[in-house]
Amino acid sequence: MKHAALLGTGSCLPQKVLTNNDLEKIVETSDEWITSRTGIHTRRIASRGEENFRLAARAAEKALEMADTRATEIELIIVATFSPHMMMPSTACFVQAEIGAENAFAYDVNAACSGFLYGLDLADKYIAARPDMKILLIGSETLSAHVDWSDRNTCILFGDGAGAVVLSGSDSRGVQASKLYSDGRLWNLLYMDSPESLNPDLVQKDRQGCHIQMSGRDVFKFAVRSMEDAVKKLLTQENLTVDDLALVIPHQANVRILNKLMERLGIPVDKVYINVDRYGNTSAASIPIALDEVNRQNGLQPGDTVLFCSFGGGFTWGALLMKW
Ligand code: COA
């Protein structure tokens, strides 16, 4: 059976850089606090002309160029996001129009920070059924539009950006296996409400509006435990150990979560790709941005096994193995 393998990768980050020192002027915080608690130094913030779908489209164009593929060859566009350009139509439809992928069908998936892994798993299933299909999968977020800039617990963490991959079927490369999970009972530990309803009966009076809300400590503990569990189950299922992994590309939430997770898994830090220090947490975009950086630095060799893992609101989480 053929699996979804990479033909090309691309990414696009907004121009504007927001440093920890800049944040000191917005909320009561310090560079020292943010760096020691999260490992984040800077994040990118979108400006006019850098809307979610435009970041996504620029990342897609770079991935298509690397894949030597025309936009009209793409049959499916999936955008993973929880900060869509509009509620309707999907951001994927805006991307389709922007890049001229007129032969594709297009839709969004929302699994918060796990969206790219969910999308990769989905793309792999399409390709199992239709191996020649060319799929454009994008993770893209403009979280700066949904952060409460007076809440120091959350506004220091997030950033904007997009990453894209072009996928098609391969016998020897691509997605090997995945384990995905969610637990909707824990939704209220990390969420963003909908814009206020115009039906008064449906207004959520007890919620705090359309901003990211988070119980940081609970999220931290659950993120470490759940990703550890998903990775261990996946490796056991595939008869692999951590020694078989060439590289781990995790969701870039924060350095302390990643250090704790890798310590528990017994994975040395030099096997883990980290760029959260530069971009903050870009949710569904974080793995494809990191993947594009690794790819453009020729960080992997044919035959290498790469592990992806993620955690996000829902809660959603999971792990996925890919053969390079
Ligand atoms: N600057 C300075 N002080 C801050 C602050 C900031 N930006 N944010 C919170 N604080 C304060 C708190 O108000 C609290 O003060 P108090 O003791 O006077 O009440 C103190 O720092 C400790 O807060 P706490 O929330 O316990 O800190 P923490 O060590 O748990 O670190 C996080 C906070 C958010 C960095 C940490 O919980 C975390 O990383 N959680 C996971 C977040 C995440 O990754 N979410 C996305 C998942 S996809």
Side-chain angles (χ1 to χ4, degrees):
M1 189 167 70
K2 297 210 181 196
H3 288 283
L6 298 177
L7 296 181
T9 61
S11 56
C12 178
L13 279 308
Q15 293 291 311
K16 185 176 163 190
V17 177
L18 188 74
T19 66
N20 292 346
N21 290 329
D22 295 331
L23 277 165
E24 287 175 0
K25 295 175 194 122
I26 302 173
V27 286
E28 201 183 323
T29 190
S30 65
D31 176 39
E32 194 281 320
W33 194 96
I34 300 172
T35 305
S36 63
R37 298 296 213 288
T38 70
I40 300 168
H41 296 290
T42 58
R43 68 288 288 146
R44 301 294 183 91
I45 304 295
S47 304
R48 195 172 296 282
E50 295 177 322
E51 293 80 4
N52 184 326
F53 76 97
R54 290 194 210 278
L55 296 176
R58 298 295 88 78
E61 284 161 353
K62 291 180 195 170
L64 287 166
E65 190 185 352
M66 187 190 283
D68 200 14
T69 299
R70 289 188 304 276
T72 49
E73 293 173 59
I74 296 295
E75 287 183 66
L76 167 61
I77 301 172
I78 303 173
V79 174
T81 188
F82 80 89
S83 52
H85 182 58
M86 290 185 185
M87 292 304 292
M88 185 270 284
S90 68
T91 300
C93 283
F94 281 103
V95 171
Q96 176 189 24
E98 184 81 0
I99 66 172
E102 59 207 45
N103 298 316
F105 64 104
Y107 60 87
D108 292 355
V109 296
N110 176 355
C113 302
S114 302
F116 185 77
L117 283 201
Y118 275 46
L120 206 44
D121 182 69
L122 193 55
D124 191 47
K125 267 73 182 180
Y126 275 105
I127 280 170
R130 287 264 325 280
D132 296 336
M133 196 172 185
K134 287 191 176 171
I135 300 177
L136 180 58
L137 170 64
I138 306 168
S140 184
E141 303 280 12
T142 43
L143 302 178
S144 59
H146 301 285
V147 158
D148 177 353
W149 288 100
S150 65
D151 176 12
R152 66 178 183 173
N153 289 297
T154 52
C155 74
I156 57 151
L157 295 173
F158 299 98
D160 301 335
V165 296
V166 178
L167 300 159
S168 195
S170 167
D171 292 315
S172 54
R173 300 186 303 118
V175 174
Q176 271 187 289
S178 62
K179 281 214 170 281
L180 303 178
Y181 302 89
S182 54
D183 188 343
R185 292 170 299 182
L186 303 173
W187 70 270
N188 61 336
L189 297 175
L190 180 58
Y191 70 92
M192 187 177 84
D193 213 340
S194 310
E196 195 165 285
S197 173
L198 293 178
N199 176 346
D201 289 339
L202 298 181
V203 173
Q204 308 282 343
K205 291 201 180 60
D206 55 334
R207 311 258 185 86
Q208 295 175 48
C210 194
H211 298 301
I212 298 170
Q213 311 283 340
M214 184 183 71
S215 304
R217 284 192 174 186
D218 294 321
V219 170
F220 189 105
K221 281 188 245 160
F222 199 91
V224 173
R225 273 206 311 267
S226 59
M227 284 191 282
E228 178 193 6
D229 185 62
V231 169
K232 283 184 170 165
K233 284 188 172 134
L234 182 60
L235 291 176
T236 304
Q237 175 191 291
E238 294 304 300
N239 239 338
L240 297 172
T241 72
V242 293
D243 296 334
D244 297 309
L245 303 173
L247 190 69
V248 184
I249 304 181
H251 166 50
Q252 310 282 318
N254 91 43
V255 166
R256 273 170 65 226
I257 289 182
L258 295 179
N259 285 344
K260 192 106 202 142
L261 174 64
M262 297 311 152
E263 185 189 311
R264 289 202 191 192
L265 289 168
I267 298 177
V269 280
D270 61 355
K271 270 195 181 182
V272 186
Y273 190 80
I274 292 182
N275 64 12
V276 67
D277 51 319
R278 286 176 283 142
Y279 306 135
N281 179 345
T282 57
S283 190
S286 88
I287 289 179
I289 292 170
L291 178 59
D292 183 47
E293 290 189 344
V294 168
N295 194 18
R296 284 174 194 269
Q297 293 159 14
N298 293 321
L300 288 159
Q301 305 303 318
D304 280 350
T305 299
V306 189
L307 171 74
F308 299 92
C309 56
S310 70
F311 174 85
F315 287 150
T316 59
W317 68 99
L320 185 146
L321 287 164
M322 182 182 272
K323 184 75 84 181
W324 201 252

